[in-house]
Amino acid sequence: MFNSKMLITFVCLLSICCFFASSQNVLSSSQNISSSQTTSLQDISTQDISFIYKEPINGLKLYNTVTFTLDNSLMIWMIFEDEDPACILPYLHLRLMDKTGKIKYMDFNYTLPVEAVCPLTADIFPLTKNYIMITYIKLNNGVEGKYGIIINYSNESTINEIYLGNANGFVERSIVPNKGLISIEKPDKEGIATWRLFSLPDITTGEVVERKNGEFHAPNLLSYTLVDSLNFLLTDGGFGFMYILKYDETKESSVIDPNLQYWRVYVSFLREGADSPTIPSLVYQTTKKLNNLTIKSCSVTYNAEGYVCIMTLNNTITNIKKNKSQTEINYYQLRFLSTGALEQLNRISNPTNNTDIDLEILYYGGFLVENIYDAMDFYLLDDSGTDYYSPVIETTNPAINEVVDPSIKEIIIKYTIPVKLSTANVSIFQQSDDPSKPALLRQTFSGDYKLCTVGSDNYTVHIPIFESTFSQSNSSYYVLVDNNFVISQERDEPLMGIGNKIWMLSTEPLKMVRYSDSVTGLLRLNEEGSLKFLQTNHSVFFKNMIREFSKTIPVAEQRLSTSGRWQYDPTSPKKILLSFNIKEAKDDHAIELNSQMIFEILRTLIKQKRFTALSSNEYTSLIDESAPLIMTRNYFEEFRLLIIIFTVGLIVLIILYILARRKNSEAKNSVIFETYFIIQDFAVDLAFVLLKVKNTPHLKIPT
Ligand SMILES: *[C@@H]1O[C@H](CO)[C@@H](O)[C@H](O)[C@H]1NC(C)=O
Ligand SMILES: *[C@@H]1O[C@H](CO)[C@@H](O)[C@H](O)[C@H]1NC(C)=O
Ligand SMILES: *[C@@H]1O[C@H](CO)[C@@H](O)[C@H](O)[C@H]1NC(C)=O
Ligand SMILES: *[C@@H]1O[C@H](CO)[C@@H](O)[C@H](O)[C@H]1NC(C)=O
Ligand SMILES: *[C@@H]1O[C@H](CO)[C@@H](O)[C@H](O)[C@H]1NC(C)=O
Ligand SMILES: *[C@@H]1O[C@H](CO)[C@@H](O)[C@H](O)[C@H]1NC(C)=O
Ligand SMILES: *[C@@H]1O[C@H](CO)[C@@H](O)[C@H](O)[C@H]1NC(C)=O
Ligand SMILES: *[C@@H]1O[C@H](CO)[C@@H](O)[C@H](O)[C@H]1NC(C)=O
Ligand SMILES: *[C@@H]1O[C@H](CO)[C@@H](O)[C@H](O)[C@H]1NC(C)=O
Ligand SMILES: *[C@@H]1O[C@H](CO)[C@@H](O)[C@H](O)[C@H]1NC(C)=O
Ligand SMILES: *[C@@H]1O[C@H](CO)[C@@H](O)[C@H](O)[C@H]1NC(C)=O
Ligand SMILES: *[C@@H]1O[C@H](CO)[C@@H](O)[C@H](O)[C@H]1NC(C)=O
């Protein structure tokens, strides 16, 4: 396990080893194993990039490497061996290698718990940026349990220790980066395995908490015993569980039924968001009385439709004539869909004469680790930037690294198979100038929102782009397509998406901006927001709103202000209208968005509030998106408005004057002037309201 060589080579593979070929799609109980179709294990075609890693600290040995799916970096765990070969010294040394081969060396001033290192039971799980979890077995009241501590590797602090389950359990992170992790216990005698879902570390406290729990139940079959079980990860972010059952021969029967299934393999799925797993489905059974049936690993398949497991059948064939027996080991790939339906059963021919070979499933984004010639080689995926890491995506428009026009109306993904929209999201982020800051969400919605459309060929998906999305010039953006954003049309199987920072796009620097004056925008709060506004110190409310606008648009806070003006909306009396000013750009040298452009961005953000970051902020989420942002004033408009108000006022005055003279010659001028002022005041409010409710046919005039 320990590798004494401190020169470690990291090799990037450009393509994937694939050993798939078509075969019979049958769930066969009496398959002639030696005659079933075979496919050869093709050569791995590579265009290698190697990184040489040298450990600077003498005596440190490689213990483990894990990948960070978030950004495809590699965490390398180095240890000092102890005199006791079962133990290691309790110091923590981690090296984080990024995609370019750059290494961050982290030598912690922190000792691992003794249970983790002596005997060595520790395992490591990268969680999110800054956080890893180290798991270990610990005795608690005489019972062995699996525990995990969360470590902030950026400042070497430990957060909390959590109980994960019994000692032999399986712990793994979801395939989907922002989902949590699971712990599944080894099944008990009744075939019941407890599962617990945990959150990822909280952004501010780093704490990991249990979110849900439940049980997996093995199929309840008389005369079969559970011999083994296995866990794997689902495309949609959920978890799969596999059971291997064997016929119990102790239950005696005089006649041997030729159709008796000696071995049965079932799968059950705990889908993302589900509260309980599916009823186990049968994916393989055989009438052969094998020595053993083992399943090494299961994974998402190469073409990303369903799952593939490597199954090993150990069978002893007796030739009665020759009075000879021979044991043979056959490898199969067992492919099934997330419905539990078997898709393919292919034999994999063994390229070596060795019966104890180690097969690893490779898929885009995955890693293959093999022991070759006593050295350890790590095969990473290509990072040439031309690959979507998703085998079902053929092209996109715009392509990776393209410069986009900010007024682009849609982006397009072309798949290699016909697709349908599903429930997961497609999102666009703007990268922050400061790499330590999180990316800014520009728009997000799921496939089933009816905003996206599938082209008539059924291969292309059109994703609409809001005017506010690529609004920042000279900036980097990326499109994140979650797994299960689309499903395959033929089989309803969730397909893999495009991970973080792969589909990168950028905008050009602003060349010239037409000057525009300050503008004032009027927006409406929803009922909840109106209530909160009334209960909150108004200036605090305005200030927070401005801060959130500045973050979300994004624009310097100085460009936004408010007169503090507000009023009830006459057309919807429980709702409140607020006014905000967008100032003209001050600095002539810096090219900035003009106030008109900022207004348009804000208007789009409000209109599309539920799909933009406005809905995730405390204050801007209180905006009523059913009422558009209205421009109430710029100098020109205001001037025109004043003319209208005065004209209207004057006409009314004249009419009143004439009426007054006709009806009552004793009418006093003062009354007329009072009326004029009331009307003028009203006219201002009326203008305020009229602009707001352009489409309201009737306007009630308050008396
Ligand atoms: C199994 O395959 C072998 C080799 O192809 C063949 O000789 C044999 O007849 C087959 N047996 C059955 C039962 O199909
Ligand atoms: C490591 O921790 C110990 C005990 O907390 C402290 O005395 C020592 O100064 C620390 N060393 C470094 C390099 O931070
Ligand atoms: C790490 O950061 C957290 C939060 O900023 C702080 O509470 C803690 O004291 C820091 N720990 C160390 C060792 O610097
Ligand atoms: C983790 O470390 C980073 C970097 O020092 C710090 O910003 C963050 O607050 C820390 N988090 C916690 C929960 O300690
Ligand atoms: C069958 O395989 C499993 C898993 O590798 C192993 O635990 C078990 O001991 C094997 N059984 C026999 C009878 O060899
Ligand atoms: C196959 O099964 C036989 C009999 O149980 C066992 O001796 C042998 O080690 C097994 N081979 C492998 C590769 O598991
Ligand atoms: C088969 O061979 C074994 C020893 O190799 C022998 O003991 C046995 O009697 C033989 N059986 C038959 C039917 O020839
Ligand atoms: C397998 O064994 C045969 C005979 O012993 C030999 O000719 C052949 O080269 C071997 N194949 C490999 C891949 O080692
Ligand atoms: C999609 O995004 C919305 C809003 O950000 C979020 O609430 C939802 O959980 C996401 N859906 C999935 C499947 O991740
Ligand atoms: C696309 O899918 C729809 C619905 O399944 C089908 O009716 C239509 O014929 C398909 N179009 C093409 C070009 O295959
Ligand atoms: C564009 O951004 C880059 C990097 O942030 C910066 O160096 C450059 O000056 C910017 N160009 C313009 C025209 O703002
Ligand atoms: C509202 O908050 C501002 C600033 O925080 C403060 O100056 C003002 O007195 C507060 N008004 C009320 C009515 O509490």
Side-chain angles (χ1 to χ4, degrees):
M1 183 195 303
F2 305 144
N3 183 11
S4 56
K5 285 199 179 133
M6 277 310 99
L7 274 181
I8 300 170
T9 310
F10 295 82
V11 183
C12 291
L13 287 191
L14 258 187
S15 60
I16 299 304
C17 157
C18 31
F19 35 78
F20 304 117
S22 63
S23 182
Q24 51 273 73
N25 296 355
V26 284
L27 177 60
S28 167
S29 57
S30 56
Q31 197 149 353
N32 186 343
I33 291 174
S34 51
S35 76
S36 68
Q37 191 170 345
T38 63
T39 62
S40 67
L41 191 65
Q42 278 160 17
D43 251 0
I44 297 166
S45 100
T46 60
Q47 190 174 320
D48 300 347
I49 305 164
S50 8
F51 303 124
I52 306 287
Y53 159 61
K54 284 187 191 171
E55 175 52 52
I57 299 178
N58 228 343
L60 267 186
K61 309 221 157 143
L62 175 70
Y63 174 48
N64 200 357
T65 60
V66 275
T67 59
F68 248 117
T69 45
L70 207 60
D71 56 1
N72 288 310
S73 57
L74 190 70
M75 182 73 85
I76 304 162
W77 186 0
M78 306 297 293
I79 55 159
F80 283 113
E81 283 172 346
D82 195 13
E83 278 158 18
D84 180 347
C87 305
I88 61 165
L89 298 184
Y91 310 116
L92 186 58
H93 299 272
L94 299 174
R95 283 83 179 87
L96 187 65
M97 179 186 266
D98 72 12
K99 293 187 288 184
T100 63
K102 208 172 84 199
I103 297 165
K104 182 177 173 191
Y105 293 89
M106 296 178 283
D107 301 303
F108 288 70
N109 187 12
Y110 163 77
T111 52
L112 291 165
V114 64
E115 295 93 347
V117 295
C118 207
L120 180 58
T121 59
D123 214 342
I124 192 168
F125 295 89
L127 297 177
T128 49
K129 192 168 147 58
N130 290 346
Y131 298 103
I132 51 160
M133 180 171 75
I134 291 186
T135 62
Y136 46 88
I137 310 296
K138 188 168 96 171
L139 267 180
N140 192 3
N141 294 328
V143 182
E144 276 195 338
K146 195 173 235 178
Y147 291 79
I149 40 164
I150 320 302
I151 297 174
N152 184 343
Y153 63 74
S154 287
N155 83 351
E156 303 188 16
S157 55
T158 57
I159 318 295
N160 58 342
E161 185 188 64
I162 50 172
Y163 173 72
L164 293 163
N166 68 12
N168 308 321
F170 157 95
V171 176
E172 198 52 271
R173 273 204 53 170
S174 165
I175 273 188
V176 174
N178 57 357
K179 305 289 173 202
L181 58 139
I182 200 168
S183 154
I184 306 178
E185 297 192 339
K186 209 72 190 159
D188 62 13
K189 285 202 181 68
E190 276 76 48
I192 296 171
T194 302
W195 57 266
R196 297 179 176 84
L197 268 179
F198 296 90
S199 69
L200 287 178
D202 180 271
I203 299 167
T204 52
T205 65
E207 274 186 46
V208 169
V209 292
E210 188 174 320
R211 282 272 158 79
K212 269 185 198 174
N213 60 60
E215 287 171 349
F216 280 104
H217 287 251
N220 191 10
L221 299 177
L222 285 173
S223 52
Y224 282 85
T225 43
L226 182 67
V227 296
D228 205 5
S229 63
L230 184 87
N231 311 86
F232 56 98
L233 305 176
L234 303 183
T235 315
D236 71 354
F239 302 90
F241 199 79
M242 181 167 263
Y243 308 90
I244 302 170
L245 298 161
K246 187 189 176 189
Y247 181 70
D248 213 343
E249 284 176 285
T250 54
K251 306 246 166 44
E252 64 179 85
S253 69
S254 46
V255 208
I256 293 168
D257 177 359
N259 294 322
L260 178 69
Q261 306 293 347
Y262 275 97
W263 296 83
R264 286 183 154 175
V265 179
Y266 287 82
V267 284
S268 177
F269 303 92
L270 178 62
R271 300 208 173 96
E272 163 55 27
D275 290 328
S276 56
T278 60
I279 292 164
S281 331
L282 183 66
V283 288
Y284 181 77
Q285 59 181 348
T286 180
T287 53
K288 289 197 184 291
K289 199 172 165 181
L290 307 166
N291 296 325
N292 208 353
L293 183 157
T294 54
I295 293 185
K296 202 176 143 347
S297 59
C298 294
S299 149
V300 172
T301 58
Y302 168 71
N303 71 0
E305 270 198 280
Y307 304 91
V308 59
C309 303
I310 306 262
M311 179 167 76
T312 310
L313 306 187
N314 178 340
N315 194 23
T316 301
I317 299 157
T318 315
N319 189 325
I320 299 163
K321 255 194 206 154
K322 291 186 182 164
N323 191 13
K324 253 191 191 167
S325 74
Q326 193 195 346
T327 294
E328 60 175 30
I329 311 290
N330 287 299
Y331 300 92
Y332 286 82
Q333 54 157 320
L334 180 66
R335 291 178 63 178
F336 53 91
L337 301 177
S338 61
T339 53
L342 179 86
E343 208 209 351
Q344 282 186 13
L345 182 69
N346 294 344
R347 196 168 129 204
I348 306 164
S349 72
N350 187 350
T352 70
N353 287 341
N354 193 345
T355 55
D356 199 18
I357 58 164
D358 211 11
L359 285 174
E360 293 272 343
I361 298 164
L362 293 174
Y363 64 97
Y364 280 78
F367 289 75
L368 167 72
V369 181
E370 267 185 14
N371 253 313
I372 306 164
Y373 314 124
D374 196 33
M376 219 175 211
D377 287 326
F378 296 84
Y379 296 90
L380 309 189
L381 268 175
D382 139 62
D383 187 36
S384 63
T386 55
D387 201 310
Y388 296 95
Y389 292 89
S390 173
V392 284
I393 293 174
E394 192 175 300
T395 55
T396 63
N397 184 10
I400 289 179
N401 291 334
E402 215 169 279
V403 175
V404 291
D405 177 353
S407 63
I408 188 173
K409 290 283 183 287
E410 62 170 23
I411 56 175
I412 300 167
I413 304 175
K414 182 156 197 276
Y415 288 86
T416 56
I417 54 172
V419 295
K420 289 194 286 195
L421 295 165
S422 183
T423 55
N425 291 334
V426 59
S427 315
I428 300 179
F429 291 89
Q430 179 185 354
Q431 272 197 300
S432 181
D433 291 338
D434 177 353
S436 69
K437 294 245 175 72
L440 190 64
L441 177 67
R442 303 311 303 164
Q443 65 171 65
T444 183
F445 39 77
S446 68
D448 59 4
Y449 257 121
K450 308 257 154 73
L451 291 174
C452 299
T453 51
V454 177
S456 57
D457 63 351
N458 293 334
Y459 285 85
T460 51
V461 173
H462 298 251
I463 300 156
I465 299 296
F466 303 152
E467 279 165 71
S468 52
T469 298
F470 294 113
S471 63
Q472 289 300 107
S473 56
N474 199 22
S475 298
S476 292
Y477 294 85
Y478 61 90
V479 185
L480 174 69
V481 182
D482 290 346
N483 292 352
N484 195 26
F485 166 61
V486 293
I487 53 179
S488 73
Q489 198 177 63
E490 193 186 337
R491 300 194 185 89
D492 282 353
E493 199 60 29
L495 300 180
M496 277 161 90
I498 305 177
N500 262 325
K501 299 181 193 174
I502 292 166
W503 187 2
M504 298 291 308
L505 299 169
S506 61
T507 50
E508 279 189 323
L510 271 185
K511 292 207 180 71
M512 210 183 65
V513 180
R514 197 171 51 85
Y515 177 83
S516 88
D517 289 319
S518 296
V519 294
T520 299
L522 195 65
L523 60 81
R524 188 163 79 180
L525 296 176
N526 59 25
E527 278 185 31
E528 184 198 348
S530 304
L531 210 62
K532 180 161 175 172
F533 178 78
L534 294 174
Q535 288 163 353
T536 316
N537 177 333
H538 296 348
S539 70
V540 170
F541 194 98
F542 274 113
K543 213 166 123 194
N544 285 325
M545 198 89 150
I546 286 176
R547 182 173 312 135
E548 292 179 358
F549 278 148
S550 130
K551 241 177 29 193
T552 313
I553 293 174
V555 69
E557 221 171 298
Q558 302 86 273
R559 296 291 298 279
L560 305 173
S561 68
T562 177
S563 61
R565 182 158 188 195
W566 66 277
Q567 73 165 70
Y568 286 100
D569 183 351
T571 64
S572 184
K574 280 185 182 160
K575 296 177 180 173
I576 281 173
L577 304 170
L578 302 182
S579 103
F580 289 90
N581 307 312
I582 303 169
K583 294 188 213 157
E584 76 277 26
K586 273 274 154 56
D587 193 347
D588 299 331
H589 304 295
I591 299 175
E592 293 180 39
L593 293 175
N594 69 29
S595 44
Q596 188 83 35
M597 289 158 132
I598 296 171
F599 176 85
E600 293 300 335
I601 294 167
L602 187 55
R603 180 154 68 182
T604 307
L605 286 171
I606 288 174
K607 186 173 158 204
Q608 307 289 4
K609 187 190 100 183
R610 65 187 301 190
F611 308 118
T612 68
L614 282 189
S615 59
S616 49
N617 297 328
E618 185 182 348
Y619 288 86
T620 58
S621 61
L622 302 170
I623 294 172
D624 181 358
E625 66 270 30
S626 67
L629 177 72
I630 298 291
M631 195 179 291
T632 60
R633 191 191 313 170
N634 65 27
Y635 289 165
F636 177 70
E637 289 275 336
E638 188 175 42
F639 187 57
R640 216 170 50 180
L641 197 67
L642 279 176
I643 292 172
I644 296 168
I645 292 168
F646 271 99
T647 315
V648 171
L650 208 63
I651 292 167
V652 171
L653 184 66
I654 291 164
I655 293 169
L656 282 175
Y657 184 69
I658 293 165
L659 284 178
R661 273 194 63 169
R662 273 201 193 158
K663 284 243 167 123
N664 189 354
S665 54
E666 284 164 28
K668 284 187 180 114
N669 280 357
S670 64
V671 174
I672 295 165
F673 281 115
E674 245 177 63
T675 314
Y676 174 71
F677 283 118
I678 290 166
I679 287 171
Q680 194 201 31
D681 208 38
F682 168 72
V684 173
D685 271 350
L686 183 64
F688 193 68
V689 170
L690 271 175
L691 286 163
K692 159 79 198 49
V693 285
K694 261 191 193 140
N695 301 326
T696 309
H698 300 291
L699 195 65
K700 263 207 174 148
I701 298 169
T703 47

